[in-house]
Amino acid sequence: MDHLDAIESKSIFILREAFNRFERIGMLWSLGKDSNVMIWLAKKAFFGHVPFPVIHIDTGKKFPEMYTFRDRYTKEWGLDLMRGDCPPIEEMDPTLPPAARSAARKTAGLKRFLSANTFPGILAGIRRDEEGTRAKERVFSPRGENAQWDVRDQPPEFWDQYKTDFPPGTHVRIHPLLHWTELDIWRYMQRENIPAIDLYFAKNGQRYRSLGDQDITSPVASTASTLDEIIQELKTTTVAERSGRAMDHEAEDTFERLRADGYM
């Protein structure tokens, strides 16, 4: 087994374990590269079919290309799509910096969705290498009553042994891609021929490394316009993956505040 085979196998094990252990699970679909890989892995894990709903928490501010992608691949991949709306920014914590306050709408939208739809387990496509706070996550991560994440109260996970027996009523976030890197994602997309939104490929010297809302996401300088060029660029770049996310440049504790409140 090569590296991609090994991480694929581990993710498929996590997906099957989650499906087996929880009465009902759903998968968050942000429409970006990571969650598209997660859907692809689910199709592999369950013999070409995703046997649970995919959930798009829609801020209404995504790029048009992202909505086009969602509508096309919902049909082509045979997905059971559930969509949740987000409250207006005026309802968000006014003490947050502007971009983080805008991003908090997604957390509030997810909480509203989960209050209306019972999902003991939610699959999310986060990776440890993406952001420092996410490096503290567990694969099976219990949440508080209102989806809050307490980094100091997480189960140990040694030698890929996961705690999956939680008290009734516990909400758990499951992270099948936690052990992947950005470079792994692109190499796997190339190997598996997984479709990607065109915004990831350079035009006029710029491309998006990470996709969020239009008003708080910017491209980075790049000439990588093909999969091969993206992979080569990632081998040497010193630019952070989320450098185009406005909230990552605000107050130092902003992301941790959002994550503690349930942001993915």
Side-chain angles (χ1 to χ4, degrees):
M1 252 193 330
D2 67 12
H3 174 66
L4 291 182
D5 290 330
I7 60 175
E8 176 193 66
S9 178
K10 183 174 179 177
S11 295
I12 286 174
F13 172 78
I14 293 165
L15 287 163
R16 288 174 175 167
E17 186 76 358
F19 185 68
N20 178 57
R21 293 290 185 170
F22 293 91
E23 183 180 349
R24 189 181 188 209
I25 61 172
M27 176 179 284
L28 295 180
W29 190 22
S30 70
L31 313 176
K33 61 186 186 300
D34 300 306
S35 60
N36 292 334
V37 164
M38 191 165 57
I39 287 175
W40 193 268
L41 288 164
K43 285 168 65 69
K44 280 198 164 189
F46 301 104
F47 310 102
H49 170 63
V50 180
F52 38 73
V54 296
I55 302 161
H56 180 215
I57 304 301
D58 189 1
T59 62
K61 293 187 175 184
K62 300 299 183 186
F63 293 88
E65 293 91 337
M66 297 175 76
Y67 291 117
T68 299
F69 187 96
R70 180 192 69 186
D71 295 343
R72 174 180 175 180
Y73 286 100
T74 294
K75 295 176 182 176
E76 288 197 17
W77 290 341
L79 303 176
D80 175 13
L81 176 67
M82 298 181 72
R83 186 177 156 277
D85 293 318
C86 298
I89 195 169
E90 290 76 20
E91 295 182 19
M92 299 301 99
D93 182 354
T95 68
L96 286 169
R101 194 178 182 203
S102 180
R105 295 178 60 235
K106 189 174 177 183
T107 301
L110 177 57
K111 289 181 178 181
R112 179 181 293 180
F113 177 89
L114 292 175
S115 70
N117 301 274
T118 302
F119 283 96
I122 288 287
L123 297 152
I126 68 168
R127 306 187 328 268
R128 284 196 177 101
D129 75 318
E130 191 176 359
E131 194 277 331
T133 306
R134 286 174 170 162
K136 303 173 186 176
E137 268 287 10
R138 300 292 190 269
V139 174
F140 287 82
S141 175
R143 293 320 213 236
E145 266 186 35
N146 200 25
Q148 289 95 344
W149 175 56
D150 185 354
V151 66
R152 294 162 298 185
D153 186 23
Q154 295 292 302
E157 291 181 336
F158 300 122
W159 307 290
D160 293 342
Q161 299 298 305
Y162 306 120
K163 176 179 172 59
T164 58
D165 55 330
F166 296 99
T170 303
H171 175 66
V172 180
R173 301 285 171 85
I174 305 121
H175 307 120
L177 300 181
L178 207 55
H179 54 292
W180 292 55
T181 67
E182 184 185 9
L183 186 55
D184 291 334
I185 292 290
W186 284 107
R187 282 174 165 162
Y188 189 73
M189 289 175 70
Q190 182 184 53
R191 188 184 84 171
E192 300 288 314
N193 197 28
I194 301 172
I197 294 172
D198 195 46
L199 296 167
Y200 285 118
F201 300 96
K203 294 181 184 64
N204 302 317
Q206 292 185 318
R207 75 177 187 91
Y208 288 87
R209 292 268 300 279
S210 179
L211 292 177
D213 287 353
Q214 289 189 73
D215 58 341
I216 56 175
T217 310
S218 302
V220 299
S222 173
T223 59
S225 60
T226 67
L227 281 169
D228 282 333
E229 289 173 353
I230 287 174
I231 289 167
Q232 289 305 312
E233 177 184 84
L234 292 179
K235 290 178 180 179
T236 59
T237 186
T238 58
V239 177
E241 180 179 0
R242 292 180 58 92
S243 60
R245 296 290 192 109
M247 70 179 191
D248 286 45
H249 302 284
E250 292 179 329
E252 186 174 339
D253 67 339
T254 295
F255 200 89
E256 190 147 352
R257 287 175 63 188
L258 289 174
R259 292 275 292 137
D261 193 44
Y263 182 81
M264 295 312 300

